Structures are given as C-alpha cells and as structure tokens.
Amino acid sequence: MSIPPILIRNHLHPTPGARPLLLVRGDLVHVPHPALLDLMGAFVDDLHGGWIAAARSESGFGYISGEGEWVVAPTLQDARSFTEDGLARFRADDRWGYRDLRGAVAIAPRFDDAAVFRHGLAAVKDGAQWRYIDPKGEPAFDGTFVQAGEFGNVGLALARATRLGKFGFIDRAGNWAIAPRFRRAAAFADFALAPASVDEERFGLIDASGQWAVPPTYGLIGQFNAEGYAYCRPLAWHRGVPGGYLDSAGREVIPFQEDLADCMEAGLARVGCHRYAGVQGALATSIPLAWGADFTSDGFTVARARIGREGDPRAFDEPWGILRADGRFHPVPDGVLEPLTDSERDIVLPEPGTALAAFATQDGNVALLDRNGTVVYRLERETDATLERVVLRDAQGCALWAGEPCTAARIAPFFDPRPNELLEGLQDCAQIAGLARSLLAETRCKLAALAAGEPVPARTGDDANAPDGWPDEDDEASNREDFDGDPPGPAAQVRTSRRVFRAFGDESTWFRYEFLVDQRCQAMERVHAEMLAVLTREFGAASQNPDYAGRPAEDGTSAWAIGEEAERLWLGLRASLHTGDGTFWCHVWLHCAPGSATLQRALEALPVPCPTPGR
C-alpha cells in the first residue's frame, strides 16, 4: 500500500494569506492547480490504490488526490472529510449532499444541513427538523428531532425531540433506548460510556442502558477524545479550580490539579506553561523547560528549554527544540531559530497527516523538523542573476522543486528577534551617537528661539509624545512617556526626546508566552548597555544625577553634561519596563534637556517677561 503525501506549506510565498501547499511523495513534488491552500482533514485511502482529501483553494472547496489532481474541482461552497463509512459531506447551491471515495455524488445535495455518517446512518436537516438517512439517502426510520447526534459503537445516538425538551438516546430504529431526562449529555462515540447531567450542575457517566456507571459527582465531564480520555472538574468548581481526566471506563487517570489544560493528545495534557501531566504520571523531561505547546497526535510538540549558565545562577539559555512524548528534548540544529508563528502569533501547527514542525532559520528561511529534531526539508530563497524564487530542498540539500520567480518572503523571528530589530529610527546601536548630536543641535535651536522671544519649534513625533516620565495608562501601546498632566512650560518646550527601542506585548501574547517579558527585558538591557558604552566613548563618564531644568530625570537615567554650566545641556539615556492591564512595554529613551542655569539664562534674555521655569 502506498503512503499518503507529505504536506509542505510554502511559507516563503509572497502573499501571506494565500501560501499554497506542496504535496511531496519521495523525490516528487506535486503542485496543484488551482493552488491548494488547505486540507480539511488528512488524506484517506480511496480504496483504489490512491488517496483523497477534502481541500480548499482560492476559488472554493473540492476534493484532491494524493498526486495533486483535483478529483472534484474547487467550485463547491464547502467540503468535509471522509468518515469510516466512506462518505463525505459537501455543499453546493446552498444545499448539502454526500460524495464517495471516488469523488462521485453518492447522495445529491438536497438538505439544509447534514452531519457525518457513522455506523451507516447520518442526520440531515430539512427546515427546522433533523432526521436520519442511510447511505442511499433513504429515510432510516420515521421520526424527526430538533437535535440529532452521531451514532456510536453501542448503536445509540444523542437526540432531543423538542426545543425545550431534554436529551435522550435513540437506537437505530429511532426508538428511545434511553428516555429523555438529561439537561446536558455527550455522544457515546467509540466508547461504552457517555457524559451526562440531569441538572447541568452534576455530571456522571452513563452506560448503554442509561444507568449511572459513574455517579454524577463531578462539576463537569467533557466529551471523550479519540484516545478515550475526558476532561473533568470537581463538583464545586470555578475559574482556576483544578481539573483532571477520566478514562473511558470512568477511572481517574490524571488527578485534579491546577492549570491543567482541557485538551489532551498522546496521553498528555499541559499543566501551566512548561509541565505536562499524563495517564502514566507527570512527564519527566530530559531537560528543564521554560515553555511548551500542546502535544500533537503524533506524539511531539515544540518547546523551549531553560538551561542555567555556568558561573551565573541568574542567567539562562533558552533554546527551542522538539519535545517527544517520552520526555526527550531535541534542541534545534545550528542555524535554526524558533517555531514559525501566524498572523495571530500562534505557533504554526503541523499540516494534517504530516508530522513536521516549521521553524524559522537565521537566514530568514524555513526548516521543517521531524519528531527527533532533525531537519527533513528546507524552504529557501534562491537568487539567480536578477530573479528570485523559492526552492524546496531535502535533508541532503538536493533541490526537489523550484517555484516561479517572485519576491519571496523573509521570515523574521518573533520570539527571539535580534535586539537591533527592535530599535526605532536606528539601524544599530552605534548610531546613537549621531542621534545624540542631532538632539543636542535641536535643543540648542529651541533655546535660541525661546531666548529671542520667537515661537519654539513644535514638538513632533516621539518628541511630542514622549517627554521623560511614566507611560500614559490610557495608551495601550505606551507610545509616550508622559508628565503628570501639568501644562507644558518652557522646560518641556525645549526638551527633546526620542524613543530608540520598543518591545510591546498585549494581554493575549503575554498570557500565551510568559517567558517573553524576560526575553524582551534581556534584549532591552543589551541594547541599553551597548548604547551606554557608545555614548560614554563619545561624551565621557555618565552621571546618575543630571540637573534637568523643570522636572527631574527619572531614576535609572544615565546622563552626560555637555558644555559649561551657563550653556549646559544634558543627554539622558533610560531603559524602563512597565506592566499593566495584562500588557508590558520595554522602552529605551534618549532625552536632551537644558540644565537649570541654561534655561534660566534663556528666559532672562527674553525681551518680555516670561513665566518662571518649571513644570
């Protein structure tokens, strides 16, 4: 029997929302036309020596073969995966029908909605009512329902007869095998027990006779997953209270514990951000972790290790890698950086039926790693004369496929960007000296205008948004360092500020990746230290007590006195971390402010009285 194709998404395609999939079988790469954008599930055996899957292109949905040929052109409104019964739902002309493994129409589209075939029967909807049909599309029995579920191994399906009625279970003849008495329940699926509750507060497990195999003593029992495990919570639960897991016989296989995820694969569920609980006990990893994603059904996930540096107990290295279900951690090879993320900053999941994780590389390309952390394929930008194209290479570096000429995307790291990539207005830290001289000149011009009684040049850009101080709590991106609401006086008018480093994390990002705060702070500290060294070489030793006119400099400011006291300007460099409302900001600011005597001298030169300096 042949094996299904490997799916590789062209992450270097220039259009982010339309990056197509390549189908790889050995040394052959199939490129579907129209382009294949997504599979709606893994390939299945078509029983004729090939493979078939529901798929999506830009023009619509269809069915595609393992060789990349559209068995059913992508002109459908929707297409779903095949079940073990060999039938798949599809939608055309606003009606649902079914196709067989050859892509042929098995049941013409004539229903308002349709569910999957299981054990020879499927629920279909006409108007507001559901009924059941057989694989020929004929009614399986009389009777309609407002809700109708899939038939399970025990020959029963969850159903409800009226909108306000209770749930029960019907047999294959449409008779109530378990009378409707449940406010909530889940299907039996492939197991002998099903979760149910008579009052939506206490949950237990019932058997095919409707008897309680596990008494209703839980606050929640979810649907059993494909491996036969169901998430559960204690009776008196609320947000933050521990969760656990039951097996298909109703035994507690993972005891209640805090921060346990309600999804499980490969017998493992995440606990917090860097631990895992399993049906065989807590997962013992070969190395401490800083963070890990949920496991895939292929028994691996991406994770970030936490390795202490010798001689410095406060310093850690945190390499990315592949964590296997046996606890072994495989760090990424040299030249590989971090897992790819999508536009929502979620880690890109493996494609259906393909156990490969996509990682960004140091040169802006993509490496695909297997469950042992080995690079199996690479997507690379290749330039030939004036043409650029994307090339797919195997583990040995042999080119398997080359795309059409295009301006290929360059993958920028999200988790571990180079500190210079977080700079604002500068290409590297060495340019801080030139910016400092520019701020000095700009501040002198402002002082001259003030002394001459002319309008001081308006503050624009960062200079307008960010004098020295704390972030505005109403500004979620913290684009400025604000004063305490005082009206701007002469000191504020002549001060010049530029933000030179910015890292921001919103609530969603921080919640998912707690380690980012430390990572961004370390990047900020490296940038600050490098800029401090550049400015010290340029202007000499820094002072920690600058004499800013008006409001004093914030704690932690390093400053340089430029000029004699009567004409003195201060250059100040400050790094800061701020958190609030689930967000964080890491900033480095460069400020230029006159000394108190300098500002007083400018004010005394005014031809008309001017308010006392202050702010």
Side-chain angles (χ1 to χ4, degrees), residues 42-65:
F43 276 98
V44 299
D45 187 350
D46 67 4
L47 304 184
H48 294 84
W51 299 88
I52 189 170
R56 181 180 72 89
S57 77
E58 283 189 311
S59 58
F61 294 82
Y63 290 87
I64 200 164
S65 74

Side-chain angles (χ1 to χ4, degrees), residues 35 64 76 131 152 157 182 187 198 230 235 238 277 313 351 376 418 424 456 461 477 481 525 590 600:
I64 200 164
L76 304 175
R131 58 187 176 87
F182 304 107
V198 296
L235 189 58
H238 53 80
E351 302 296 340
V376 181
R418 298 178 180 88
E424 289 198 341
V456 175
E481 290 195 323
E525 290 166 0
L590 181 65
Q600 185 63 39

Side-chain angles (χ1 to χ4, degrees), residues 522-594:
Q522 291 172 14
M524 177 185 70
E525 290 166 0
R526 289 196 297 271
V527 164
H528 180 261
E530 189 170 342
M531 289 182 173
L532 188 63
V534 171
L535 293 174
T536 298
R537 289 194 298 270
E538 186 76 14
F539 301 108
S543 168
Q544 303 302 315
N545 297 295
D547 176 29
Y548 283 9
R551 180 174 177 171
E554 294 289 334
D555 292 341
T557 298
S558 297
W560 293 263
I562 311 298
E564 298 299 326
E565 183 174 357
E567 297 181 351
R568 179 166 296 164
L569 299 181
W570 286 94
L571 278 173
L573 185 71
R574 180 171 179 264
S576 60
L577 166 68
H578 306 296
T579 60
D581 297 328
T583 59
F584 71 88
W585 311 270
C586 297
H587 287 169
V588 178
W589 291 89
L590 181 65
H591 301 290
C592 185

Side-chain angles (χ1 to χ4, degrees), residues 332-603:
V332 296
D334 292 341
V336 178
L337 288 180
E338 63 176 49
L340 290 190
T341 56
D342 60 21
S343 60
E344 301 298 322
R345 294 310 184 191
D346 290 319
I347 287 178
V348 172
L349 298 174
E351 302 296 340
T354 299
L356 296 175
F359 277 73
T361 62
Q362 288 181 352
D363 54 6
N365 293 318
V366 175
L368 294 158
L369 277 60
D370 65 14
R371 63 195 306 270
N372 296 316
T374 302
V375 175
V376 181
Y377 297 99
R378 291 181 183 270
L379 284 164
E380 299 177 345
R381 299 183 316 280
E382 187 174 275
T383 302
D384 180 12
T386 59
L387 297 178
E388 186 176 59
R389 65 182 74 233
V390 179
V391 177
L392 175 66
R393 299 185 182 276
D394 63 16
Q396 289 72 42
C398 298
L400 302 179
W401 168 83
E404 296 296 323
C406 66
T407 303
R410 182 181 180 88
I411 304 299
F414 166 67
F415 295 109
D416 298 286
R418 298 178 180 88
N420 283 358
E421 293 173 351
L422 299 174
L423 298 180
E424 289 198 341
L426 303 175
Q427 297 298 315
D428 56 55
C429 291
Q431 293 182 347
I432 192 70
L435 178 61
R437 288 190 291 270
S438 175
L439 263 61
L440 287 167
E442 190 172 342
T443 304
R444 289 188 181 106
C445 288
K446 293 178 179 180
L447 282 167
L450 181 66
E454 299 172 355
V456 175
R459 296 154 63 222
T460 59
D462 281 346
D463 192 30
N465 290 333
D468 204 353
W470 290 94
D472 184 344
E473 293 181 356
D474 295 328
D475 181 6
E476 68 176 7
S478 184
N479 283 325
R480 63 190 183 196
E481 290 195 323
D482 244 346
F483 294 108
D484 292 330
D486 298 333
Q493 289 180 311
V494 298
R495 187 176 299 181
T496 310
S497 301
R498 295 289 187 276
R499 182 174 56 202
V500 293
F501 175 97
R502 177 182 183 268
F504 167 69
D506 60 19
E507 183 175 7
S508 174
T509 303
W510 194 0
F511 178 79
R512 285 175 292 173
Y513 311 116
E514 292 181 0
F515 63 87
L516 271 185
V517 179
D518 288 341
Q519 192 278 339
R520 295 297 194 260
C521 281
Q522 291 172 14
M524 177 185 70
E525 290 166 0
R526 289 196 297 271
V527 164
H528 180 261
E530 189 170 342
M531 289 182 173
L532 188 63
V534 171
L535 293 174
T536 298
R537 289 194 298 270
E538 186 76 14
F539 301 108
S543 168
Q544 303 302 315
N545 297 295
D547 176 29
Y548 283 9
R551 180 174 177 171
E554 294 289 334
D555 292 341
T557 298
S558 297
W560 293 263
I562 311 298
E564 298 299 326
E565 183 174 357
E567 297 181 351
R568 179 166 296 164
L569 299 181
W570 286 94
L571 278 173
L573 185 71
R574 180 171 179 264
S576 60
L577 166 68
H578 306 296
T579 60
D581 297 328
T583 59
F584 71 88
W585 311 270
C586 297
H587 287 169
V588 178
W589 291 89
L590 181 65
H591 301 290
C592 185
S596 298
T598 305
L599 180 61
Q600 185 63 39
R601 184 180 181 210
L603 293 173

Side-chain angles (χ1 to χ4, degrees), residues 74-86:
T75 58
L76 304 175
Q77 291 173 297
D78 204 340
R80 304 295 177 87
S81 298
F82 290 92
T83 65
E84 297 85 350
D85 289 42

